[in-house]
Structures are given as structure tokens and as C-alpha cells.
């Protein structure tokens, strides 16, 4: 079975700066494997080990995603090989375009049985790239996946649905988006990182993938801090509890809540 | 002895700060196989941002580095300010001689450290990020004391002929081997630091700079609420680095927290003109070793050398905090000594003795000795309070034109001194101690 892990080399939100007006400055943010993706690596590796499968990592983005550090960070997480599309034409590309390029790369890799992705990316949080990829490929798409096992040629997939768990069987090729806690990802050790440097990486040429230019590009026109409502930020000293309780009821009365 | 296991690398360097990256680069340049292990997901991600790099030593490794490396500004102006609660007296040294050749630059570690590490990678170093070394692998050495043969992280072990401990001020590798004792608190200071965002043009206006010029302000007096230490304010391209360094024992004695002192500094009227409208973007706290030469212990043992701040190599003269330049200087010395030792096939403590010899011959240990008295000098509490008041009174006497006839400067100074708790004897003694220490 050929398993592709689609992951993102994403800017770390911890390094982003949010201005008082809500503008976000990503210029100092460093790249890393997006926070929810290691779960996908883990699911894919475990699945491959039970069915003598092969795991290929796949990421697309701007030229800067291809560094020795970025390659090792991915290859040390249980991949057999890595495929990248690193082209500045993809800088700031929206989720739909990323999904289209991923689809082109999956076709180029060939004979893929399943693509596993994380729930969403940590920087953009589109929550649609995996399902758009399924649509682009004309494959089935399943999100909220909490477990997957091989059963002969098909996959048994457990999904989290409202109020419970649903089990489905996928026969044909399928794209899966894992929940954030579907597996406990291993932290790569020194031997895995050393081994990573010896595994093959293939860089695909964007032009050769023949992905049609997007009909439209979606870009945010503004960002804003979350609305904190009309909080008044009153703090009561709780050293003397009964007194604090009295102050609280008085304050609630005064503001008309009680 | 058991059959020696073939090492995975010639050298394992632990810690990708300035010391580790430069050591790794220099070793790889001279043909050794090197792995550089960093616990952060990327170099620089764990390091407190910002500072002034006295960069002449880095020119030895990367000639003209300031043109290529992500440096913020070239320092052409050093300002020393004595603060009292309501006044500021400054000494302003600016000189074109500081600009060419480049003497000092400001750097933000989140950018600078990755650059240094990438230079090492280009030279062939295997950079291993996101791995925290948990322990040293040792075997009994020639004289019974342990010989370092590698490191362990999680379940994995890696072996090398030599391990370089470049793991910073808390160096657990050096401690693990008992090379460094637990420092008495008067050898440690706590640094609190923040990066404040301001537009480039505003910085250049406020600090009187043009182009890529930068200013470094050292501040003493009321900024630390009487606690031994000082503050600094450095200009980056589009931000300021502001911080305090406080003597740990003094801080504990004062019953205050470092954050309290730092907030006092942030709101100090003496700094307000520089900081107005600046936004805090980064905030961190870190220990600084400031025991002078007294803190440098054993730096080479069987199979291991200790470099940079892990070896206690920092100087806090009260007016400058230096560590990165000493880290780089020690890394060069260590790398060259290791190359020599590996070639000679003797990586015991005596085979690696060339490291200390080089350090003693170069600026690193000499400067450590020169400034060795600085911590003691700074223990003289007058530096943190009364002198600032005294200086302010003198200058108020000169510039505070209140329609009374002006006295001669000497008279002003005498009168200010008479009203100050500082005695002439103390002033002379501290002045002398200062001259000797700095
Ligand atoms: C507030 C403050 C202000 C300062 N200002 C200046 C200044 O203006 N100019 C100046 O020159 N110096 C300044 N210094 C000192 C300077 O920061 C240090 O001297 C310098 O960083 C030392 O470099 P280093 O490479 O030895 O250690 P570090 O820069 O501390 O690097 C050590 C590295 O080792 C890694 N590491 C640690 N343990 C492990 C482990 N077990 N496994 C793997 N990796 C590990 C860390 O993540 C880190 O990246 C300042 C320090 C402070 C606290």
C-alpha cells in the first residue's frame, strides 16, 4: 500500500506578532512541521507497518520550505521518502490552490492508495485543504478520522461524528484528515534524524505538474482580535471571601445582571 | 579496556548558540565530521533575543560578516546614563572610529543564530535540531576519572572522539561531570529582557542615528531600585532591546521580583522619551554568569571541552554585557585544539590542553582577568544609587538656572558632595577600584 502524508511546513504562530489593530506580522515566524500534522505521520507509519506499506511525505509551498533542516524534520518522522514542490509562485497561495498542487503531485507520485493529512494547518487553519484535495483527485474524502487500519485491500476508518464514533470501509483511493488527537506522535530521536539524511527527497517542478492557474485567489482583507464583548475587567480581591462575595453581588446588581 | 566502539562522528557539539555553531563550523572546515545538536526546533528559538555583539572576533571566522549576516545596526554611539528617580545624566561617546572597521553590531538571536548554524551546515556539519541531550556517555579514563565518549538523548546514543559542551549558562553537561560547582548567588545575575517594536524612522530620530547606525545605552542608578546591576537599551533595525541585569543575591535580599524591577524600568520617566508608543513583542528572562575569571573552572577533560557561557565566559562590567564574543573566541580556540588533539590521537585532558593555552594567549581569558574585579567593583553599592544622585545634583547646579548666581563647577560639585551620603573617601576609593576593574 502506498501512503502519502500531506503536511505543511508552516510558520509558527508563537513567533507571529499581532498589532493592536489586529494586523498579523509573520515576518519573524520560523517554519516547522505544522502542529497538527505529526499525528498524520504517526497514523501513516503505523498503518504502513501493519500492511508492509510505504510512506511518502508530500509538502508544497514557497522555495523557503526546502532547507536541510526542513527535510530532516519531515524525514525523521517515519517517512520512507519525501516529495516537495517548492516554488515562490506558491508563496501565500490560498488553500484551494495548495490543494490543486497537492493533487498534481499525488498524480505525479502515482499508484497512491491513501493520503493522510492533519486536521488543519496551524497558521492558516483553513480546515478544507484535505477535502478539496479529495475533490481535485476525484477520490473519497473523510475528515474527523480518529483511527485507520488495513483490511486486505481496503481501509477501515473510524470517524468522530456528533455524539459518537462511526466506522466506514473505504475500498478505493481515499483522502483522510485526522483529528488532532488521533495518535500520539513520536518525537524523532537522534538515530531517526541521522537516518533521515540518507532517505531520498524528490523536488517536483511546479510547471511540470500542469496545474491550471486558479480562477480566483482568496486573500484576507483584514484580521481582527477576537471580540471581547463589553467586558469591564473588574477584579475583586478574594482574600476576604465573604466580603468579595458581597462585592460581587453588589456589582452584578448594579450592572443589572441580578 | 574493552574494544573501542567506532564513533559516529569525530565531534559532537551540544548547543547551537554562537559558541556551538562557530566551533562546529571551524571543526568541519578543518575536515572533521561534526554533528551539532540543538534542543530548540531551530537554532535561536530558545535563545533570548538581542544584544550587542562585539564582532571583531567573528571577522576572524567570517571576514566581513557584518555585510552578510543578519545584523541589525552598527553601533556608532555608546551612551552611559546615571538615572535618579527624576533625572538622567548621560555620557555620550560617538565616533566614526566605531563604524569602520565594524566594532560592534546589534543582533536579534532569532535571526542571527540560524544564520551562524547555516554557515556550519554549509561547511558540512550535520545539524540536528529538536533534540535535547540528556546525559553524557562516559567510560573510565586513563587516570580513573571519567572519559567522555558520547551523548545520550532519549533512548539513542551517539559516540564521538570529542564532545563540545556549548550548552549555555546552565550547562548541565559541565555540571554532570562535576566541572562546575553550583554557583554562589553573587556569581549569578538574572537578566530580564524585552524587544519593543518601533518604526525605523522613529528609532533613528529618537536616538540621533542615520542609515544603519546604532546606539547602545548603558543605564545605572535608579533603574534597578538600588539592586546591584544595570540596564541596557540597544537599537535594532525596527525594534529596541531593553533589559535589566540584576545580581541574584541582591535581588533575593531586596524581596522584590525581577519583573517588578523591570516594570519600574519600563515606566521610568528617564526612559520615557525613547520608549513612547513602543510595543512589547518579545519577553524573556535568563541567568547570566558574572563571576568574572573566578567562575571559569576546568574547561577540558578526557574527551570533552566546555565553551562559551557553559564555561562561565561572560563579562558584566556594569557598562557592557559581553558573552557572545567570548563564546566565539573560545569556540575558535577549542576547535583548533581539538583538530590538533585528534590528529595527534590523544583526546585526553592533556591532549586537549591546547584549548586553555590558546584561551590564555588570546583575548578571552585575558579580558576575563582584566575585568575580574568588575563584579567586586559593582558590589560597591554606591554605583546603584548615591552616585546617580550626586551626578544629578552637580549637573542641576550647572544647568538649573534659578536666577541665583552660578558657582564655579568645583564649588557645585563640593556642595553636592557635602549633601550626598557619598563620602569623598568612598568616592576616591570607588573611583580607584573602578579604574582598576574596568
Ligand atoms: C539579559 C541578557 C543580556 C545579554 N546581553 C548581551 C550582549 O549585549 N552582548 C553579548 O555579547 N552577550 C550578552 N549576553 C550574554 C550572551 O547571551 C551569552 O553569553 C551567549 O549567548 C553565550 O553563547 P553560548 O553559545 O555559549 O550559549 P547560548 O547562546 O546560551 O547557547 C546554548 C545553546 O545550547 C542549547 N542547549 C542547552 N542545553 C542543551 C541540551 N541539553 N541539548 C541540546 N541543546 C542544548 C540551547 O538551546 C542554546 O541554543 C546577555 C545575556 C543576557 C541574559
Amino acid at each position: 500500500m502506498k501512503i502519502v502524508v500531506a503536511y505543511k511546513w508552516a510558520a509558527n504562530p508563537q513567533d507571529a506578532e499581532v498589532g493592536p489593530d489586529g494586523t498579523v506580522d509573520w515576518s519573524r515566524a520560523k517554519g516547522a512541521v505544522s502542529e497538527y500534522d505529526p499525528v498524520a505521520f504517526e497514523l501513516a507509519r503505523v498503518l504502513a507497518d501493519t500492511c508492509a506499506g510505504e510512506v511518502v511525505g508530500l509538502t508544497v509551498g514557497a522555495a523557503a520550505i526546502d532547507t536541510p533542516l526542513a527535510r530532516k524534520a519531515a524525514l525523521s518522522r517515519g517517512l520512507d521518502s519525501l516529495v516537495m514542490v517548492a516554488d515562490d509562485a506558491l508563496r501565500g497561495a490560498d488553500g484551494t490552490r495548495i490543494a490543486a498542487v497537492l493533487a498534481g503531485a499525488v498524480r505525479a507520485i502515482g499508484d497512491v492508495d491513501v493520503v493522510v493529512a492533519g486536521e488543519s494547518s496551524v497558521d492558516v487553519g483553513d480546515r478544507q485543504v484535505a477535502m478539496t484535495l479529495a475533490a481535485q483527485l476525484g477520490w473519497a474524502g473523510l475528515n474527523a478520522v480518529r483511527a485507520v487500519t488495513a483490511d486486505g485491500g481496503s481501509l477501515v476508518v473510524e470517524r468522530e461524528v456528533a455524539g459518537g464514533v462511526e466506522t466506514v470501509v473505504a475500498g478505493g483511493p481515499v483522502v483522510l484528515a485526522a483529528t488532532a488527537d488521533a495518535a500520539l506522535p513520536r518525537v524523532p530521536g537522534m538515530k531517526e534524524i541521522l537516518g533521515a539524511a540518507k532517505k531520498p527527497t524528490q523536488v517536483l517542478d511546479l510547471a511540470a505538474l500542469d496545474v491550471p492557474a486558479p480562477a480566483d485567489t482568496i486573500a484576507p482583507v483584514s484580521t481582527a482580535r477576537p471580540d471581547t464583548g463589553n467586558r469591564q475587567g473588574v477584579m475583586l480581591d478574594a482574600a476576604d471571601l465573604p466580603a468579595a462575595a458581597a462585592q460581587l453581588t453588589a456589582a452584578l446588581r448594579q450592572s443589572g445582571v441580578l | 579496556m574493552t574494544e573501542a566502539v567506532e564513533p559516529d562522528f569525530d565531534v559532537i557539539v551540544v548547543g547551537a548558540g554562537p559558541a556551538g555553531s562557530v566551533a562546529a563550523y571551524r571543526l568541519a572546515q578543518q575536515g572533521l565530521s561534526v554533528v551539532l545538536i540543538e534542543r530548540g526546533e531551530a537554532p535561536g528559538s530558545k535563545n533570548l533575543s538581542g544584544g550587542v555583539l562585539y564582532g571583531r572576533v567573528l571577522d576572524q571566522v567570517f571576514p566581513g560578516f557584518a555585510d552578510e549576516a543578519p545584523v541589525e545596526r552598527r553601533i556608532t554611539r555608546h551612551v552611559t546614563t546615571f538615572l535618579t528617580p527624576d533625572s538622567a545624566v548621560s555620557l555620550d561617546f560617538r565616533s566614526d572610529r566605531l563604524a569602520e572597521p565594524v566594532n560592534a553590531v546589534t543582533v536579534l538571536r532569532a535571526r542571527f543564530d540560524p544564520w551562524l548554524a547555516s554557515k556550519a551546515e554549509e561547511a558540512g556539519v550535520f545539524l540536528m535540531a529538536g533534540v535535547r541531550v540528556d546525559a553524557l556517555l562516559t567510560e573510565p579514563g586513563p587516570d580513573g576519572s571519567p572519559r567522555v565518549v558520547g551523548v545520550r538523548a532519549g533512548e539513542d546514543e551517539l559516540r564521538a572522539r570529542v564532545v563540545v559542551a556549548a550548552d549555555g549558562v546552565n550547562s548541565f553537561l559541565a555540571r554532570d561531570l562535576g566541572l562546575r560547582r553550583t554557583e554562589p548567588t553573587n556569581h549569578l545575575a538574572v537578566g530580564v529582557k524585552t524587544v519593543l517594536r518601533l518604526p525605523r524612522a522613529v528609532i533613528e530620530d529618537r536616538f540621533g542615528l542615520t542609515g544603519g547606525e546604532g546606539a547602545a545605552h548603558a543605564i545605572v542608578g535608579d533603574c534597578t531600585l538600588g539592586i546591584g546591576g544595570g540596564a541596557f537599551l540597544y537599537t535594532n533595525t525596527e525594534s529596541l532591546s531593553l533589559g535589566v541585569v540584576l545580581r541574584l543575591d541582591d535581588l533575593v535580599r531586596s524581596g522584590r521580583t525581577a519583573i517588578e524591577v523591570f516594570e519600574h524600568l519600563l515606566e521610568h520617566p528617564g526612559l520615557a522619551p525613547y520608549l513612547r508608543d513602543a510595543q512589547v513583542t518579545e519577553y524573556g528572562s535568563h541567568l547570566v554568569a558574572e563571576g568574572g575569571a573566578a567562575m571559569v573552572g576546568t574547561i577540558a577533560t578526557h574527551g570533552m571541552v566546555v565553551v562559551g557561557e557553559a564555561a562561565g565566559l561572560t563579562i558584566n562590567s556594569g557598562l557592557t554585557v559581553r558573552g557572545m564574543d567570548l563564546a566565539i573566541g573560545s569556540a575558535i580556540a577549542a576547535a583548533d585544539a581539538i583538530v590538533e588533539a585528534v590528529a595527534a590521537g590523544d583526546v585526553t585532558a592533556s591532549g586537549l590542553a591546547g584549548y586553555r593555552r590558546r584561551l590564555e594567549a588570546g583575548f578571552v581569558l585575558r579580558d576575563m582577568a582584566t575585568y575580574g574585579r568588575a563584579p567586586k567593583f559593582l558590589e560597591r553599592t554606591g554605583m546603584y544609587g548615591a552616585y546617580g544622585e550626586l551626578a544629578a545634583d552637580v549637573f542641576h547646579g550647572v544647568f538649573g538656572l534659578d536666577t541665583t548666581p552660578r558657582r564655579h563647577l568645583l564649588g557645585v560639585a563640593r556642595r553636592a558632595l557635602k549633601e550626598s551620603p557619598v563620602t569623598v573617601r568612598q568616592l576616591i576609593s570607588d573611583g580607584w577600584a573602578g579604574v582598576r576593574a574596568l
Side-chain angles (χ1 to χ4, degrees), chain B residues 13-22 36-40 42-54 105-107 109 113 116 128 130-135 152-153 165-173 189-194 232 234 242-245 284-289 307-315 320-328 330:
Chain B
V13 181
V14 182
S21 286
V22 169
L36 174 59
I37 306 179
E38 166 58 44
R39 67 180 166 173
S45 57
K46 292 260 173 188
N47 295 339
L48 202 54
S49 249
V52 169
L53 168 64
Y54 297 87
V105 294
T106 42
V107 295
R109 299 288 297 276
D113 287 14
L116 268 185
M128 196 179 268
V131 172
R132 200 194 69 206
V133 168
D134 296 317
R152 185 174 62 72
D167 54 340
V169 65
N170 294 318
S171 181
F172 109 89
L173 295 191
V190 56
V192 181
K193 181 165 186 177
T194 179
F232 56 84
Y234 303 143
L242 172 71
V244 278
V245 178
S285 168
H286 196 315
L287 285 178
V288 203
V307 295
E309 212 167 359
L313 297 173
T314 37
I315 292 172
T320 52
V321 185
R322 288 173 51 190
M324 288 184 277
D325 59 329
L326 303 170
I328 293 164
S330 67

Side-chain angles (χ1 to χ4, degrees), chain A residues 17 28 68 72 190-191, chain B residues 121 127 156-157 197 282:
Chain A
E17 286 166 19
R28 295 184 51 190
K72 280 183 269 185
M190 296 193 291
K191 298 284 183 205
Chain B
E121 259 189 313
L127 175 63
D156 289 348
E157 294 182 349
R197 180 60 75 91
E282 219 177 299

Side-chain angles (χ1 to χ4, degrees), chain B residues 267-336:
Chain B
E267 279 154 23
H268 201 289
L271 293 182
Y274 294 119
L275 305 184
R276 201 170 358 99
D277 298 331
Q279 276 171 45
V280 175
T281 61
E282 219 177 299
Y283 190 76
S285 168
H286 196 315
L287 285 178
V288 203
E290 58 167 15
M295 229 172 110
V296 183
T298 308
I299 52 173
T301 179
H302 306 315
M304 184 167 103
V305 297
V306 190
V307 295
E309 212 167 359
L313 297 173
T314 37
I315 292 172
N316 181 3
S317 72
L319 303 184
T320 52
V321 185
R322 288 173 51 190
M324 288 184 277
D325 59 329
L326 303 170
I328 293 164
S330 67
I332 297 171
D336 294 353

